[in-house]
Amino acid sequence: MDFFGFFRDDYFVVLLGLLEQPPFNIPDAEQEVVYGFLTEYSGTNYFLLNLSKFVEFMAVFAGAGALYMGAYKGLFFDSYWWFFLKMVAVAVVMITIRAATPRITLGQMLAFTWRYLMPLALLNLAWVLWARSLFFS
């Protein structure tokens, strides 16, 4: 997979939804008066829940860097610093999208999913099946 596949596929949009980041933070909106399921937690339990979210973010950034950006392969030399820089690049893109987009409602999310993401996923599946039958048979 290549770097541009990261933006070509719907992988990145699905990651934003998976991580429940804006605009897809429907079950866990910080703007609400009562903060979802986190209302009942405080102190150490709240810290551990937030820590688990940050660990999930790092796993997603590492997966995106490994799958789409060539892992630790660099321009001039191979190093794990390149992998770290690629993870930071994915994080910067996600933080920029998080800061630039408003929160959407559940109805808007479902409409967006059925109108755009589902056809993109089906086209991606058809493309992969076609390419596989063409090149691997």
Side-chain angles (χ1 to χ4, degrees):
M1 297 190 185
D2 59 335
F3 175 74
F4 295 107
F6 185 69
F7 297 105
R8 186 175 54 229
D9 294 341
D10 54 353
Y11 177 79
F12 194 71
V13 176
V14 170
L15 281 183
L16 285 172
L18 173 75
L19 294 174
E20 297 174 357
Q21 291 299 303
F24 306 114
N25 64 341
I26 294 165
D28 181 60
E30 296 93 0
Q31 296 87 1
E32 302 296 329
V33 175
V34 178
Y35 184 46
F37 69 95
L38 293 175
T39 305
E40 301 173 5
Y41 295 104
S42 64
T44 306
N45 292 334
Y46 183 73
F47 168 73
L48 289 175
L49 282 170
N50 279 334
L51 182 66
S52 70
K53 285 286 256 190
F54 289 127
V55 168
E56 185 181 12
F57 288 161
M58 294 307 290
V60 165
F61 298 156
L67 287 175
Y68 288 101
M69 299 181 182
Y72 64 90
K73 304 282 186 190
L75 295 175
F76 304 112
F77 58 91
D78 296 339
S79 171
Y80 291 105
W81 286 104
W82 281 108
F83 184 65
F84 179 72
L85 288 174
K86 292 172 185 179
M87 284 176 55
V88 169
V90 174
V92 166
V93 170
M94 283 193 67
I95 290 169
T96 303
I97 289 175
R98 180 179 178 168
T101 55
R103 193 174 143 240
I104 60 176
T105 63
L106 185 60
Q108 291 170 334
M109 175 63 188
L110 289 172
F112 177 71
T113 301
W114 284 108
R115 284 189 194 135
Y116 300 108
L117 293 183
M118 190 60 127
L120 276 175
L122 291 175
L123 281 173
N124 194 11
L125 178 66
W127 168 257
V128 168
L129 290 175
W130 177 78
R132 185 174 181 189
S133 67
L134 187 67
F135 296 115
F136 295 111
S137 51

